[in-house]
Amino acid sequence: MLAAVGSVAVAGMAGCSGSGSGGSDTVDCQTAASDHGDGDVLDNAASGTVEDGDVRLAIPLSVDDVRENDVDRLDVYDATDALAYTIPVSTDDAGLMANKVGVNEGQLLYEQSLGRRPFHGQYRIVAVNTAGEIVDSVIVEFNCFSDVSD
């Protein structure tokens, strides 16, 4: 039951993302999360985002969750379940990320460039610890639309 509640919470948090340069009338991406794993490392709403026409997969993590679960990397699998990307993770990244736009205190934000919009995708994100064990997972689906303007 807790996993189901976590899935609904993540899906609710992973809503629409407006572009940094677009106005409030522009909706760049719509994101939904499903099939959340048993952990809480990936509870912070991974989503598809757009910056200057480039679509990115954004994965926010809590520094405390990374430390407590000894997270070493994020493995990102595409819709065919083939490993598409491996993103190294470290609590040491917190100092650098403190200066990034959109990153809250105590948060890490990992991004993976995916291509130009329009771009639509489904990815399974898996948090893996230093022992090679899966500590959490989530499936994220998104549609990043072409630029919409009045």
Side-chain angles (χ1 to χ4, degrees), residues 18 26 35 46 56 70 85 103 107 111 117 129-130 139 148:
T26 300
D35 293 328
R56 297 169 184 232
D70 201 21
Y85 307 101
V103 178
Q107 188 180 49
E111 296 176 295
R117 70 177 176 182
N129 67 15
T130 55
I139 293 177
V148 178

Side-chain angles (χ1 to χ4, degrees), residues 15-144:
C16 298
S17 171
S19 71
S21 60
S24 60
D25 295 334
T26 300
V27 175
D28 292 317
C29 295
Q30 171 131 11
T31 305
S34 62
D35 293 328
H36 193 277
D38 293 333
D40 58 0
V41 172
L42 295 168
D43 283 353
N44 292 319
S47 62
T49 64
V50 174
E51 184 176 317
D52 297 327
D54 291 322
V55 176
R56 297 169 184 232
L57 180 61
I59 308 165
L61 301 174
S62 158
V63 172
D64 291 339
D65 286 342
V66 169
R67 184 178 297 114
E68 290 167 11
N69 292 281
D70 201 21
V71 177
D72 179 59
R73 69 181 191 267
L74 300 171
D75 287 339
V76 181
Y77 296 86
D78 65 18
T80 67
D81 212 30
L83 181 63
Y85 307 101
T86 295
I87 304 169
V89 173
S90 173
T91 54
D92 295 338
D93 296 336
L96 294 171
M97 291 192 187
N99 298 321
K100 285 186 71 164
V101 174
V103 178
N104 297 323
E105 185 176 339
Q107 188 180 49
L108 303 166
L109 179 62
Y110 293 97
E111 296 176 295
Q112 176 62 54
S113 179
L114 301 173
R116 301 287 294 171
R117 70 177 176 182
F119 191 97
H120 315 287
Q122 175 180 312
Y123 292 91
R124 181 169 60 97
I125 305 164
V126 178
V128 180
N129 67 15
T130 55
E133 302 164 331
I134 295 173
V135 295
D136 201 6
S137 65
V138 67
I139 293 177
V140 176
E141 297 180 34
F142 58 87
N143 292 311
C144 293

